[in-house]
Amino acid sequence: MAIFHPEKIPTHVAIIMDGNGRWAKRRGMPRVMGHRQGVKAVRSTVRTARELGIPVLTLYAFSQENWKRPVDEVNTLMNLLYDYLKSELDEMLGNQISLRAIGELDRLPDRVRQVLAETIEKTSSNKKMILNLALSYGSRQEIVVAARKIAEGCLKGTIDPKNINQELFSSFLYTAGLPDPDLIIRTSGEMRLSNFLLFQSAYSEFYITPSHWPDFDRKEFLEAIHQFQKRERRFGQTSEQIGGQCTARGC
Ligand code: IPE
Ligand code: IPE
Ligand code: MG
């Protein structure tokens, strides 16, 4: 069983929820069933994050590239998102969870956008955890849009090019005001970011599990946190500088 260090709970955990299709295929079911089962894993993960006292949980639910999937699958995902938002409001209010969303939200169907805006508004004063959904999200586009907005500010004279630094740049990203992710979890074994938080993940720790997203349960989540807590984050410095315990035989 994992041993926890409450003082080393990550401030921001971001999850690439991958493998719904493979989960279903393995069972001879249509991909849709995997997405449906995936919603259950979302519920359990949000609860566990809240229970562990993780301040920010970002879930990569739909990428910009996912719009290229068959229209039926996209529609199913949008319906599941709508139902999820409708059904979770009470739990979010009860558990002091504030909802936020990052991505090109304009592309979402009207009714999804509406329930999203309502839920964000109704949960905005909740203080215990931020549940941040990445929807129609693409990190390259996020970076390009930030660059465009900064360029416009320079032309209008509201931004002095001399003042463009990492902090200012971050404030133009969708994730403005959120800490960078300490831990990025990806299910289903793929070793890639798939256009997720490219700027923000500069020093994130990665945890990749072969389990498909619908199988990602409390135990798996605790194991990911346990592994994270064993990592030595050096941020470019030496182990000695950061007071690490590393020796020739390991850490
Ligand atoms: C993740 O599962 C859900 C979304 C990307 C929306 P996938 O649908 O990508 O499942 P696989 O990768 O095809 O198994
Ligand atoms: C990444 O999964 C996006 C989400 C989990 C929402 P994909 O299944 O879209 O990623 P690729 O295509 O395998 O890189
Ligand atoms: Mg996938």
Side-chain angles (χ1 to χ4, degrees):
M1 181 53 199
I3 300 160
F4 279 101
H5 301 282
E7 76 289 356
K8 274 172 48 180
I9 286 291
T11 302
H12 183 176
V13 176
I15 308 183
I16 303 172
M17 308 185 289
D18 197 17
N20 292 350
R22 278 164 280 179
W23 182 92
K25 197 173 173 192
R26 195 181 263 183
R27 287 162 179 78
M29 296 173 178
R31 292 176 60 82
V32 183
M33 295 306 286
H35 296 314
R36 212 157 267 158
Q37 201 65 24
V39 177
K40 294 184 186 165
V42 169
R43 281 199 186 100
S44 115
T45 301
V46 171
R47 276 188 198 144
T48 306
R50 177 67 183 79
E51 179 200 320
L52 291 173
I54 293 169
V56 185
L57 174 70
T58 295
L59 299 178
Y60 199 7
F62 195 84
S63 73
Q64 280 192 351
E65 291 75 19
N66 290 151
W67 289 115
K68 292 183 280 191
R69 291 193 178 190
V71 67
D72 280 358
E73 180 164 345
V74 170
N75 287 341
T76 300
L77 286 165
M78 292 301 139
N79 288 339
L80 285 172
L81 175 60
Y82 178 85
D83 292 346
Y84 173 78
L85 291 169
K86 279 264 174 204
S87 65
E88 279 342 80
L89 178 64
D90 285 348
E91 173 138 357
M92 285 184 209
L93 293 173
N95 285 332
Q96 280 289 305
I97 296 170
S98 168
L99 186 73
R100 197 175 151 159
I102 55 171
E104 244 190 331
L105 305 179
D106 293 353
R107 289 181 74 179
L108 297 171
D110 285 349
R111 63 195 197 104
V112 172
R113 260 189 11 229
Q114 202 177 326
V115 68
L116 186 64
E118 276 168 26
T119 314
I120 290 173
E121 217 266 307
K122 286 180 182 152
T123 61
S124 63
S125 57
N126 291 346
K127 293 279 180 281
K128 294 281 190 205
M129 184 174 105
I130 294 172
L131 170 60
N132 183 34
L133 297 182
L135 301 169
S136 188
Y137 176 83
S139 191
R140 281 192 168 178
Q141 181 258 1
E142 173 185 41
I143 292 168
V144 169
V145 168
R148 190 190 303 141
K149 284 185 186 156
I150 293 168
E152 283 165 1
C154 290
L155 285 175
K156 277 194 289 183
T158 52
I159 298 172
D160 182 342
K162 285 202 281 300
N163 294 334
I164 301 172
N165 55 23
Q166 293 184 29
E167 210 186 340
L168 181 122
F169 198 88
S170 298
S171 75
F172 281 86
L173 298 174
Y174 292 131
T175 48
L178 296 177
D180 286 342
D182 299 296
L183 171 63
I184 295 182
I185 298 171
R186 182 165 186 148
T187 55
S188 235
E190 242 64 75
M191 306 275 182
R192 55 177 173 258
L193 276 171
S194 302
N195 206 8
F196 188 48
L197 302 177
L198 303 181
F199 187 89
Q200 300 88 335
S201 63
Y203 269 102
S204 302
E205 296 294 326
F206 287 88
Y207 178 83
I208 292 163
T209 167
S211 302
H212 300 311
W213 175 248
D215 292 328
F216 188 82
D217 56 10
R218 186 174 184 280
K219 193 162 160 271
E220 282 257 18
F221 198 1
L222 296 183
E223 179 58 23
I225 302 293
H226 176 60
Q227 291 303 323
F228 168 81
Q229 295 193 329
K230 291 202 296 188
R231 307 268 177 92
E232 185 183 59
R233 304 183 75 193
R234 292 189 285 275
F235 300 98
Q237 294 186 280
T238 67
S239 180
E240 291 72 20
Q241 279 178 300
I242 54 148
Q245 317 278 303
C246 292
T247 66
R249 277 181 289 141
C251 302

CSV table of all heavy atoms in Angstrom, one decimal, residues 197-229:
chain,number,residue,atom,x,y,z
A,197,LEU,N,-0.9,21.1,-22.8
A,197,LEU,CA,-0.1,21.9,-21.9
A,197,LEU,C,1.4,22.0,-22.2
A,197,LEU,O,2.2,21.7,-21.3
A,197,LEU,CB,-0.3,21.4,-20.4
A,197,LEU,CG,-1.8,21.3,-19.9
A,197,LEU,CD1,-1.9,20.7,-18.5
A,197,LEU,CD2,-2.4,22.7,-19.9
A,198,LEU,N,1.7,22.3,-23.5
A,198,LEU,CA,3.1,22.2,-23.9
A,198,LEU,C,4.0,23.2,-23.2
A,198,LEU,O,5.1,22.9,-22.7
A,198,LEU,CB,3.2,22.5,-25.4
A,198,LEU,CG,2.4,21.5,-26.3
A,198,LEU,CD1,2.6,21.8,-27.8
A,198,LEU,CD2,2.8,20.1,-26.0
A,199,PHE,N,3.4,24.4,-23.0
A,199,PHE,CA,4.2,25.5,-22.3
A,199,PHE,C,4.3,25.2,-20.8
A,199,PHE,O,5.3,25.3,-20.1
A,199,PHE,CB,3.5,26.8,-22.6
A,199,PHE,CG,4.2,28.0,-22.0
A,199,PHE,CD1,5.2,28.7,-22.8
A,199,PHE,CD2,4.0,28.5,-20.8
A,199,PHE,CE1,5.9,29.8,-22.4
A,199,PHE,CE2,4.7,29.7,-20.3
A,199,PHE,CZ,5.6,30.3,-21.1
A,200,GLN,N,3.1,24.8,-20.2
A,200,GLN,CA,3.0,24.6,-18.8
A,200,GLN,C,3.7,23.4,-18.2
A,200,GLN,O,3.9,23.3,-17.0
A,200,GLN,CB,1.5,24.5,-18.4
A,200,GLN,CG,0.6,25.7,-18.9
A,200,GLN,CD,0.1,25.6,-20.3
A,200,GLN,OE1,0.7,24.9,-21.1
A,200,GLN,NE2,-1.0,26.3,-20.6
A,201,SER,N,4.0,22.4,-19.1
A,201,SER,CA,4.6,21.1,-18.6
A,201,SER,C,6.1,21.1,-18.6
A,201,SER,O,6.7,20.0,-18.4
A,201,SER,CB,4.1,20.0,-19.5
A,201,SER,OG,4.6,20.1,-20.8
A,202,ALA,N,6.7,22.3,-18.7
A,202,ALA,CA,8.2,22.4,-18.7
A,202,ALA,C,8.9,21.5,-17.7
A,202,ALA,O,9.8,20.8,-17.9
A,202,ALA,CB,8.7,23.8,-18.6
A,203,TYR,N,8.4,21.6,-16.4
A,203,TYR,CA,9.0,20.8,-15.4
A,203,TYR,C,8.0,19.8,-14.7
A,203,TYR,O,8.2,19.4,-13.5
A,203,TYR,CB,9.7,21.7,-14.3
A,203,TYR,CG,11.1,21.9,-14.7
A,203,TYR,CD1,11.5,23.1,-15.4
A,203,TYR,CD2,12.0,20.9,-14.5
A,203,TYR,CE1,12.8,23.2,-15.8
A,203,TYR,CE2,13.4,21.0,-14.9
A,203,TYR,CZ,13.8,22.2,-15.5
A,203,TYR,OH,15.1,22.4,-15.9
A,204,SER,N,7.0,19.4,-15.4
A,204,SER,CA,6.0,18.4,-14.8
A,204,SER,C,6.6,17.1,-14.7
A,204,SER,O,7.5,16.7,-15.6
A,204,SER,CB,4.8,18.3,-15.7
A,204,SER,OG,4.2,19.6,-15.9
A,205,GLU,N,6.2,16.3,-13.7
A,205,GLU,CA,6.6,14.9,-13.7
A,205,GLU,C,5.5,14.1,-14.5
A,205,GLU,O,4.4,14.4,-14.4
A,205,GLU,CB,6.5,14.4,-12.2
A,205,GLU,CG,7.6,15.1,-11.3
A,205,GLU,CD,9.0,14.8,-11.7
A,205,GLU,OE1,9.3,13.6,-12.1
A,205,GLU,OE2,9.9,15.7,-11.6
A,206,PHE,N,6.0,13.1,-15.1
A,206,PHE,CA,5.1,12.2,-15.9
A,206,PHE,C,4.9,10.9,-15.3
A,206,PHE,O,5.8,10.3,-14.8
A,206,PHE,CB,5.6,12.0,-17.3
A,206,PHE,CG,5.5,13.3,-18.2
A,206,PHE,CD1,6.5,14.2,-18.2
A,206,PHE,CD2,4.4,13.6,-18.9
A,206,PHE,CE1,6.4,15.4,-18.9
A,206,PHE,CE2,4.2,14.7,-19.6
A,206,PHE,CZ,5.3,15.7,-19.6
A,207,TYR,N,3.6,10.4,-15.3
A,207,TYR,CA,3.3,9.1,-14.8
A,207,TYR,C,2.4,8.5,-15.9
A,207,TYR,O,1.3,9.0,-16.2
A,207,TYR,CB,2.6,9.1,-13.5
A,207,TYR,CG,2.2,7.8,-13.0
A,207,TYR,CD1,3.1,7.0,-12.3
A,207,TYR,CD2,0.9,7.3,-13.2
A,207,TYR,CE1,2.7,5.7,-11.8
A,207,TYR,CE2,0.5,6.0,-12.8
A,207,TYR,CZ,1.4,5.2,-12.1
A,207,TYR,OH,1.1,4.0,-11.6
A,208,ILE,N,2.9,7.4,-16.5
A,208,ILE,CA,2.2,6.7,-17.6
A,208,ILE,C,1.8,5.3,-17.1
A,208,ILE,O,2.7,4.6,-16.7
A,208,ILE,CB,3.0,6.8,-18.9
A,208,ILE,CG1,3.1,8.2,-19.4
A,208,ILE,CG2,2.3,5.9,-20.0
A,208,ILE,CD1,4.1,8.5,-20.4
A,209,THR,N,0.5,5.0,-17.2
A,209,THR,CA,0.1,3.7,-16.8
A,209,THR,C,-0.5,2.9,-18.0
A,209,THR,O,-1.2,3.6,-18.9
A,209,THR,CB,-1.0,3.7,-15.7
A,209,THR,OG1,-1.6,2.4,-15.5
A,209,THR,CG2,-2.1,4.7,-15.9
A,210,PRO,N,-0.3,1.6,-18.1
A,210,PRO,CA,-0.9,0.9,-19.3
A,210,PRO,C,-2.4,0.8,-19.1
A,210,PRO,O,-3.1,0.4,-20.1
A,210,PRO,CB,-0.2,-0.5,-19.2
A,210,PRO,CG,0.4,-0.6,-17.9
A,210,PRO,CD,0.6,0.8,-17.3
A,211,SER,N,-3.0,1.0,-18.0
A,211,SER,CA,-4.4,0.8,-17.8
A,211,SER,C,-5.2,1.8,-18.7
A,211,SER,O,-4.8,2.9,-18.9
A,211,SER,CB,-4.8,1.2,-16.4
A,211,SER,OG,-4.2,0.4,-15.5
A,212,HIS,N,-6.3,1.3,-19.3
A,212,HIS,CA,-7.1,2.2,-20.0
A,212,HIS,C,-8.0,3.1,-19.1
A,212,HIS,O,-8.2,2.7,-18.0
A,212,HIS,CB,-8.1,1.4,-20.9
A,212,HIS,CG,-7.3,0.5,-21.9
A,212,HIS,ND1,-6.3,1.0,-22.7
A,212,HIS,CD2,-7.4,-0.8,-22.2
A,212,HIS,CE1,-5.8,0.0,-23.4
A,212,HIS,NE2,-6.5,-1.1,-23.1
A,213,TRP,N,-8.4,4.2,-19.6
A,213,TRP,CA,-9.0,5.2,-18.7
A,213,TRP,C,-10.2,4.6,-17.9
A,213,TRP,O,-10.3,4.9,-16.7
A,213,TRP,CB,-9.4,6.5,-19.5
A,213,TRP,CG,-10.2,7.4,-18.6
A,213,TRP,CD1,-11.5,7.8,-18.7
A,213,TRP,CD2,-9.7,8.1,-17.4
A,213,TRP,NE1,-11.8,8.6,-17.7
A,213,TRP,CE2,-10.7,8.8,-16.9
A,213,TRP,CE3,-8.4,8.1,-16.8
A,213,TRP,CZ2,-10.6,9.6,-15.7
A,213,TRP,CZ3,-8.3,8.9,-15.6
A,213,TRP,CH2,-9.3,9.6,-15.1
A,214,PRO,N,-11.1,3.8,-18.5
A,214,PRO,CA,-12.2,3.4,-17.7
A,214,PRO,C,-11.7,2.5,-16.5
A,214,PRO,O,-12.5,2.3,-15.5
A,214,PRO,CB,-13.0,2.5,-18.6
A,214,PRO,CG,-12.7,3.1,-20.0
A,214,PRO,CD,-11.3,3.5,-19.9
A,215,ASP,N,-10.5,2.0,-16.5
A,215,ASP,CA,-10.0,1.2,-15.4
A,215,ASP,C,-9.2,2.0,-14.4
A,215,ASP,O,-8.7,1.4,-13.5
A,215,ASP,CB,-9.1,0.0,-16.0
A,215,ASP,CG,-9.9,-1.0,-16.7
A,215,ASP,OD1,-11.1,-1.2,-16.4
A,215,ASP,OD2,-9.4,-1.6,-17.7
A,216,PHE,N,-9.1,3.2,-14.7
A,216,PHE,CA,-8.3,4.1,-13.8
A,216,PHE,C,-9.1,4.4,-12.5
A,216,PHE,O,-10.0,5.2,-12.5
A,216,PHE,CB,-7.9,5.4,-14.5
A,216,PHE,CG,-6.9,6.2,-13.7
A,216,PHE,CD1,-5.5,5.9,-13.7
A,216,PHE,CD2,-7.3,7.3,-12.9
A,216,PHE,CE1,-4.6,6.7,-13.0
A,216,PHE,CE2,-6.4,8.0,-12.2
A,216,PHE,CZ,-5.0,7.8,-12.2
A,217,ASP,N,-8.8,3.6,-11.4
A,217,ASP,CA,-9.6,3.8,-10.2
A,217,ASP,C,-8.8,4.4,-9.1
A,217,ASP,O,-7.7,4.9,-9.3
A,217,ASP,CB,-10.1,2.4,-9.8
A,217,ASP,CG,-8.9,1.4,-9.6
A,217,ASP,OD1,-7.7,1.9,-9.6
A,217,ASP,OD2,-9.2,0.2,-9.4
A,218,ARG,N,-9.4,4.5,-7.9
A,218,ARG,CA,-8.8,5.1,-6.8
A,218,ARG,C,-7.4,4.6,-6.5
A,218,ARG,O,-6.4,5.3,-6.3
A,218,ARG,CB,-9.7,4.9,-5.6
A,218,ARG,CG,-9.3,5.7,-4.4
A,218,ARG,CD,-10.4,5.5,-3.3
A,218,ARG,NE,-10.0,6.3,-2.1
A,218,ARG,CZ,-9.1,6.0,-1.2
A,218,ARG,NH1,-8.5,4.8,-1.3
A,218,ARG,NH2,-8.8,6.8,-0.2
A,219,LYS,N,-7.3,3.2,-6.6
A,219,LYS,CA,-6.0,2.6,-6.3
A,219,LYS,C,-4.9,3.1,-7.3
A,219,LYS,O,-3.8,3.3,-6.9
A,219,LYS,CB,-6.2,1.1,-6.4
A,219,LYS,CG,-5.1,0.2,-5.9
A,219,LYS,CD,-5.6,-1.2,-5.6
A,219,LYS,CE,-4.4,-2.1,-5.6
A,219,LYS,NZ,-4.0,-2.7,-6.9
A,220,GLU,N,-5.3,3.1,-8.6
A,220,GLU,CA,-4.3,3.6,-9.6
A,220,GLU,C,-3.9,5.0,-9.3
A,220,GLU,O,-2.7,5.4,-9.5
A,220,GLU,CB,-5.0,3.5,-11.0
A,220,GLU,CG,-5.0,2.2,-11.6
A,220,GLU,CD,-4.0,2.0,-12.6
A,220,GLU,OE1,-3.0,2.7,-12.7
A,220,GLU,OE2,-4.1,1.0,-13.4
A,221,PHE,N,-4.9,5.9,-9.0
A,221,PHE,CA,-4.6,7.3,-8.7
A,221,PHE,C,-3.6,7.4,-7.5
A,221,PHE,O,-2.7,8.1,-7.6
A,221,PHE,CB,-5.9,8.0,-8.4
A,221,PHE,CG,-5.8,9.5,-8.6
A,221,PHE,CD1,-4.7,10.2,-9.0
A,221,PHE,CD2,-7.0,10.3,-8.4
A,221,PHE,CE1,-4.6,11.5,-9.1
A,221,PHE,CE2,-6.9,11.7,-8.5
A,221,PHE,CZ,-5.7,12.3,-8.8
A,222,LEU,N,-3.9,6.6,-6.5
A,222,LEU,CA,-3.1,6.7,-5.3
A,222,LEU,C,-1.6,6.2,-5.6
A,222,LEU,O,-0.7,6.8,-5.2
A,222,LEU,CB,-3.6,5.8,-4.1
A,222,LEU,CG,-5.0,6.2,-3.6
A,222,LEU,CD1,-5.4,5.3,-2.4
A,222,LEU,CD2,-5.0,7.7,-3.1
A,223,GLU,N,-1.5,5.2,-6.5
A,223,GLU,CA,-0.2,4.8,-6.9
A,223,GLU,C,0.5,5.9,-7.7
A,223,GLU,O,1.7,6.1,-7.5
A,223,GLU,CB,-0.4,3.5,-7.8
A,223,GLU,CG,0.9,2.9,-8.3
A,223,GLU,CD,1.9,2.5,-7.2
A,223,GLU,OE1,1.5,2.3,-6.1
A,223,GLU,OE2,3.1,2.4,-7.6
A,224,ALA,N,-0.2,6.6,-8.5
A,224,ALA,CA,0.4,7.7,-9.3
A,224,ALA,C,1.0,8.7,-8.3
A,224,ALA,O,2.1,9.2,-8.5
A,224,ALA,CB,-0.6,8.3,-10.3
A,225,ILE,N,0.2,9.1,-7.3
A,225,ILE,CA,0.6,10.1,-6.4
A,225,ILE,C,1.8,9.6,-5.6
A,225,ILE,O,2.8,10.3,-5.3
A,225,ILE,CB,-0.5,10.5,-5.4
A,225,ILE,CG1,-1.8,11.0,-6.2
A,225,ILE,CG2,-0.1,11.5,-4.3
A,225,ILE,CD1,-1.6,12.3,-6.9
A,226,HIS,N,1.8,8.3,-5.2
A,226,HIS,CA,2.9,7.7,-4.5
A,226,HIS,C,4.2,7.7,-5.3
A,226,HIS,O,5.2,8.1,-4.8
A,226,HIS,CB,2.5,6.2,-4.2
A,226,HIS,CG,3.5,5.4,-3.5
A,226,HIS,ND1,4.0,5.8,-2.3
A,226,HIS,CD2,4.2,4.3,-3.9
A,226,HIS,CE1,5.0,4.9,-2.0
A,226,HIS,NE2,5.1,4.0,-2.9
A,227,GLN,N,4.1,7.4,-6.6
A,227,GLN,CA,5.3,7.5,-7.4
A,227,GLN,C,5.8,8.9,-7.6
A,227,GLN,O,7.0,9.2,-7.5
A,227,GLN,CB,5.0,6.9,-8.8
A,227,GLN,CG,4.7,5.4,-8.8
A,227,GLN,CD,5.9,4.6,-8.3
A,227,GLN,OE1,7.0,4.9,-8.5
A,227,GLN,NE2,5.5,3.5,-7.6
A,228,PHE,N,4.8,9.8,-7.7
A,228,PHE,CA,5.2,11.3,-7.8
A,228,PHE,C,6.0,11.7,-6.5
A,228,PHE,O,7.0,12.4,-6.6
A,228,PHE,CB,3.9,12.1,-7.9
A,228,PHE,CG,4.2,13.6,-7.7
A,228,PHE,CD1,4.7,14.4,-8.8
A,228,PHE,CD2,3.9,14.2,-6.5
A,228,PHE,CE1,4.9,15.7,-8.6
A,228,PHE,CE2,4.1,15.6,-6.3
A,228,PHE,CZ,4.6,16.3,-7.4
A,229,GLN,N,5.5,11.2,-5.4
A,229,GLN,CA,6.2,11.6,-4.1
A,229,GLN,C,7.6,11.1,-4.0
A,229,GLN,O,8.3,11.6,-3.2
A,229,GLN,CB,5.3,11.2,-2.9
A,229,GLN,CG,3.9,12.0,-3.0
A,229,GLN,CD,3.1,11.9,-1.7
A,229,GLN,OE1,3.2,10.9,-1.0
A,229,GLN,NE2,2.3,12.9,-1.4
